[in-house]
Amino acid sequence: QPSAVGEGRSNATAITTNNYNPAIRNPQWANSVVNEPQESCEFAAAGTSSSVYYTFTAPNTSNLSVNTNGSDYDTVESIFNGCGIFFFGTYIQPTQLACDDDSGTGTNSQIDNLHLIKGQTVKIKVAKFGATPGGGNLDFNAVFTPTPPDNDNCTNGIEMPNTYGSFTDTNLDTEFATTEACTGTDPCGFGGNSNSVWYNFHPTQDGLIQADTIGTNYDTVIAIYPFCAISIDGTCFRPSALVCDDDAGGNLNSLITDYPVQAGRIYLMKVSNYNTPGPGDLNFHFNFYPVPAPCDPDVNQDGNADQGDIDYLINVIAGGNNPSGIDPDFNRDGNSDQGDIDALVNVIAGGACP
């Protein structure tokens, strides 16, 4: 007997276009294989047979819809995150992401809008309903629709932790991110920054924040706003940016560092592509940390900031006694050395704390 194209999970037919509608095929000679992924939606757990497979890798964040409408036999469709694996001789099922028996036309199957992220690969199993092999003419259809990221709009920004700590969002596909009609022009970068996504921050403590796009493969701009732009009776009310950066992160990436924030206030971070549309994969990093305690140049604690303090720090760094118990790393760079002495001299002379 002939074998069916796409028979067996390792021989899955690749879906290579956004609208995939191959020629009608007859999988009646397809055989189930040992340790085949098992669906869970067929009516009355009747089992399936004569299965064929397709594989799809999302080129962008997208929704995938598949159906067997037009087929002349009863089908069951299921989508898995892989083929499963063997572990010490035991077959471990892949995760089933979606399954449908009869949501299509008649007894055909239909799965709509399964959300996939860029680079995600899925295996699609199409089987005959029931455990007895057979089938007929299979009309398989797949539609891939690119979608904007979930945080495409200001009101849907990703909520970040509101206490001291860090947050990272890596490899976010922003190719189909949009720019809201009422959003104003950022005060840095280009007047027409595009493809924006949002991150929202509502601190419960005072502190400092750092936000950057280091590692992103396109030119970015970060701007922080106190509220979202709104339209009332056709008139846009746009907030002014609190802070904005284009390229401080190097390699056309953005960096805002040591920006002070207050508990109870709102900080909405807009990350855009510089100029016209055409971005790619965004790496966004965020840190929230307390304001460092002010430095005290009176390191010998005699009530004066003078040469005596410089001599005291030199002695401590050289291994001498430290009766005042100060930290000799005056510039807080992780080392106790000449740099700390220079920083102390600068502060005593009226310079800023390191």
Side-chain angles (χ1 to χ4, degrees):
Q1 67 183 25
S3 60
V5 176
E7 177 184 3
R9 59 188 186 274
S10 61
N11 296 317
T13 300
I15 296 173
T16 56
T17 62
N18 287 6
N19 290 279
Y20 183 75
N21 181 220
I24 292 175
R25 60 201 293 187
N26 191 325
Q28 63 177 314
W29 301 114
N31 296 311
S32 296
V33 297
V34 177
N35 296 318
E36 190 171 290
Q38 295 301 304
E39 57 278 279
S40 62
C41 63
E42 73 276 17
F43 179 74
T48 61
S49 58
S50 303
S51 56
V52 292
Y53 286 83
Y54 300 86
T55 184
F56 177 70
T57 300
N60 295 98
T61 299
S62 59
N63 288 334
L64 177 65
S65 298
V66 295
N67 67 69
T68 60
N69 293 333
S71 301
D72 63 4
Y73 66 101
D74 192 350
T75 61
V76 178
E77 280 185 329
S78 50
I79 303 178
F80 298 88
N81 70 342
C83 295
I85 61 172
F86 279 94
F87 186 72
F88 289 104
T90 300
Y91 176 66
I92 299 176
Q93 282 270 351
T95 300
Q96 179 179 278
L97 304 177
C99 187
D100 180 71
D101 186 356
D102 294 331
S103 294
T105 303
T107 58
N108 294 160
S109 309
Q110 183 167 316
I111 296 171
D112 290 326
N113 297 322
L114 176 65
H115 191 63
L116 304 178
I117 62 173
K118 182 178 180 178
Q120 183 177 359
T121 297
V122 294
K123 304 294 183 181
I124 304 162
K125 177 182 179 182
V126 182
K128 171 189 170 294
F129 176 84
T132 303
N137 293 314
L138 171 62
D139 188 352
F140 177 76
N141 309 281
V143 176
F144 154 70
T145 306
T147 59
D150 291 339
N151 57 335
D152 186 46
N153 296 326
C154 181
T155 54
N156 294 324
I158 293 176
E159 290 291 335
M160 296 185 295
N162 57 14
T163 56
Y164 298 140
S166 60
F167 169 86
T168 300
D169 192 14
T170 59
N171 297 320
L172 179 69
D173 176 22
T174 59
E175 183 175 348
F176 290 91
T178 64
T179 301
E180 295 170 86
C182 203
T183 300
T185 300
D186 300 322
C188 65
F190 189 83
N193 294 338
S194 59
N195 297 75
S196 57
V197 292
W198 294 82
Y199 299 88
N200 299 345
F201 180 53
H202 302 81
T204 57
Q205 302 165 277
D206 293 346
L208 302 174
I209 61 171
Q210 175 173 311
D212 70 71
T213 61
I214 294 172
T216 298
N217 63 3
Y218 62 94
D219 192 351
T220 60
V221 175
I222 297 179
I224 302 180
Y225 292 90
F227 59 88
C228 295
I230 58 173
S231 177
I232 300 177
D233 295 330
T235 300
C236 286
F237 294 87
R238 303 182 179 99
S240 297
L242 302 173
V243 63
C244 187
D245 178 72
D246 184 3
D247 294 332
N251 296 317
L252 303 180
N253 294 162
S254 309
L255 170 65
I256 293 173
T257 188
D258 289 339
Y259 183 76
V261 297
Q262 296 178 339
R265 296 191 62 181
I266 298 172
Y267 302 89
L268 308 177
M269 301 178 198
K270 176 187 175 187
V271 183
S272 304
N273 173 58
Y274 177 89
N275 202 355
T276 55
D281 298 326
L282 170 66
N283 289 323
F284 178 76
H285 312 97
F286 173 81
N287 282 286
F288 178 35
Y289 43 92
V291 177
C295 65
D296 182 5
D298 183 17
V299 295
N300 64 5
Q301 299 296 294
D302 68 352
N304 300 295
D306 52 22
Q307 183 63 45
D309 298 291
I310 298 170
D311 296 339
Y312 184 90
L313 182 60
I314 291 172
N315 179 65
V316 172
I317 290 176
N321 292 331
N322 185 10
S324 69
I326 58 98
D327 180 359
D329 183 17
F330 187 78
N331 65 4
R332 301 172 184 168
D333 69 349
N335 301 296
S336 298
D337 52 22
Q338 182 64 44
D340 300 292
I341 299 168
D342 295 340
L344 177 60
V345 170
N346 179 65
V347 172
I348 291 175
C353 282

PDB file of all heavy atoms in Angstrom, residues 41 47 65 79 84 149 191 198 216 268 329:
ATOM      1  N   CYS A  41      -9.959  15.519  22.165  1.00  0.00           N
ATOM      2  CA  CYS A  41     -11.255  16.178  21.954  1.00  0.00           C
ATOM      3  C   CYS A  41     -12.234  15.371  21.119  1.00  0.00           C
ATOM      4  O   CYS A  41     -13.362  15.848  20.885  1.00  0.00           O
ATOM      5  CB  CYS A  41     -11.039  17.554  21.323  1.00  0.00           C
ATOM      6  SG  CYS A  41     -10.284  17.477  19.669  1.00  0.00           S
ATOM      7  N   GLY A  47     -11.370   7.716  19.785  1.00  0.00           N
ATOM      8  CA  GLY A  47     -10.083   7.423  19.183  1.00  0.00           C
ATOM      9  C   GLY A  47      -9.987   7.998  17.775  1.00  0.00           C
ATOM     10  O   GLY A  47     -10.973   8.479  17.203  1.00  0.00           O
ATOM     11  N   SER A  65      -4.819  29.774  12.229  1.00  0.00           N
ATOM     12  CA  SER A  65      -6.119  29.108  12.103  1.00  0.00           C
ATOM     13  C   SER A  65      -5.990  27.975  11.096  1.00  0.00           C
ATOM     14  O   SER A  65      -5.388  28.147  10.025  1.00  0.00           O
ATOM     15  CB  SER A  65      -7.195  30.089  11.629  1.00  0.00           C
ATOM     16  OG  SER A  65      -7.377  31.141  12.561  1.00  0.00           O
ATOM     17  N   ILE A  79      -3.247  20.383  17.712  1.00  0.00           N
ATOM     18  CA  ILE A  79      -1.973  21.095  17.556  1.00  0.00           C
ATOM     19  C   ILE A  79      -1.149  20.881  18.818  1.00  0.00           C
ATOM     20  O   ILE A  79      -1.645  21.057  19.945  1.00  0.00           O
ATOM     21  CB  ILE A  79      -2.199  22.596  17.304  1.00  0.00           C
ATOM     22  CG1 ILE A  79      -3.081  22.794  16.060  1.00  0.00           C
ATOM     23  CG2 ILE A  79      -0.875  23.314  17.123  1.00  0.00           C
ATOM     24  CD1 ILE A  79      -3.392  24.251  15.758  1.00  0.00           C
ATOM     25  N   GLY A  84       6.903  15.103  21.099  1.00  0.00           N
ATOM     26  CA  GLY A  84       7.112  14.265  22.267  1.00  0.00           C
ATOM     27  C   GLY A  84       8.538  13.749  22.297  1.00  0.00           C
ATOM     28  O   GLY A  84       9.262  13.803  21.294  1.00  0.00           O
ATOM     29  N   PRO A 149       2.091  43.071  19.152  1.00  0.00           N
ATOM     30  CA  PRO A 149       2.344  42.535  20.503  1.00  0.00           C
ATOM     31  C   PRO A 149       1.182  42.878  21.438  1.00  0.00           C
ATOM     32  O   PRO A 149       0.426  43.834  21.201  1.00  0.00           O
ATOM     33  CB  PRO A 149       3.633  43.248  20.936  1.00  0.00           C
ATOM     34  CG  PRO A 149       4.240  43.769  19.680  1.00  0.00           C
ATOM     35  CD  PRO A 149       3.110  44.046  18.737  1.00  0.00           C
ATOM     36  N   GLY A 191      10.918  62.773  14.712  1.00  0.00           N
ATOM     37  CA  GLY A 191       9.550  63.231  14.894  1.00  0.00           C
ATOM     38  C   GLY A 191       8.506  62.179  14.607  1.00  0.00           C
ATOM     39  O   GLY A 191       7.407  62.225  15.145  1.00  0.00           O
ATOM     40  N   TRP A 198       4.561  49.307  25.102  1.00  0.00           N
ATOM     41  CA  TRP A 198       4.470  50.018  26.374  1.00  0.00           C
ATOM     42  C   TRP A 198       4.733  49.106  27.560  1.00  0.00           C
ATOM     43  O   TRP A 198       4.358  47.927  27.550  1.00  0.00           O
ATOM     44  CB  TRP A 198       3.086  50.643  26.531  1.00  0.00           C
ATOM     45  CG  TRP A 198       2.795  51.721  25.541  1.00  0.00           C
ATOM     46  CD1 TRP A 198       2.373  51.573  24.254  1.00  0.00           C
ATOM     47  CD2 TRP A 198       2.926  53.133  25.762  1.00  0.00           C
ATOM     48  NE1 TRP A 198       2.222  52.808  23.657  1.00  0.00           N
ATOM     49  CE2 TRP A 198       2.551  53.780  24.554  1.00  0.00           C
ATOM     50  CE3 TRP A 198       3.310  53.900  26.864  1.00  0.00           C
ATOM     51  CZ2 TRP A 198       2.552  55.161  24.435  1.00  0.00           C
ATOM     52  CZ3 TRP A 198       3.309  55.281  26.733  1.00  0.00           C
ATOM     53  CH2 TRP A 198       2.938  55.903  25.537  1.00  0.00           C
ATOM     54  N   THR A 216      18.962  45.028  21.517  1.00  0.00           N
ATOM     55  CA  THR A 216      17.918  45.091  20.489  1.00  0.00           C
ATOM     56  C   THR A 216      18.559  45.252  19.108  1.00  0.00           C
ATOM     57  O   THR A 216      19.577  45.933  18.967  1.00  0.00           O
ATOM     58  CB  THR A 216      16.977  46.277  20.779  1.00  0.00           C
ATOM     59  OG1 THR A 216      16.353  46.056  22.052  1.00  0.00           O
ATOM     60  CG2 THR A 216      15.917  46.429  19.708  1.00  0.00           C
ATOM     61  N   LEU A 268       4.724  55.534  32.580  1.00  0.00           N
ATOM     62  CA  LEU A 268       4.386  54.710  31.421  1.00  0.00           C
ATOM     63  C   LEU A 268       5.527  54.818  30.409  1.00  0.00           C
ATOM     64  O   LEU A 268       5.806  55.911  29.899  1.00  0.00           O
ATOM     65  CB  LEU A 268       3.077  55.178  30.801  1.00  0.00           C
ATOM     66  CG  LEU A 268       1.901  55.306  31.785  1.00  0.00           C
ATOM     67  CD1 LEU A 268       0.675  55.837  31.072  1.00  0.00           C
ATOM     68  CD2 LEU A 268       1.614  53.975  32.466  1.00  0.00           C
ATOM     69  N   ASP A 329      35.670  51.847  50.662  1.00  0.00           N
ATOM     70  CA  ASP A 329      35.276  51.939  49.251  1.00  0.00           C
ATOM     71  C   ASP A 329      34.392  53.169  49.080  1.00  0.00           C
ATOM     72  O   ASP A 329      33.178  53.076  48.838  1.00  0.00           O
ATOM     73  CB  ASP A 329      34.551  50.661  48.830  1.00  0.00           C
ATOM     74  CG  ASP A 329      34.184  50.658  47.349  1.00  0.00           C
ATOM     75  OD1 ASP A 329      34.755  51.467  46.593  1.00  0.00           O
ATOM     76  OD2 ASP A 329      33.307  49.859  46.966  1.00  0.00           O
TER      77      ASP A 329
END
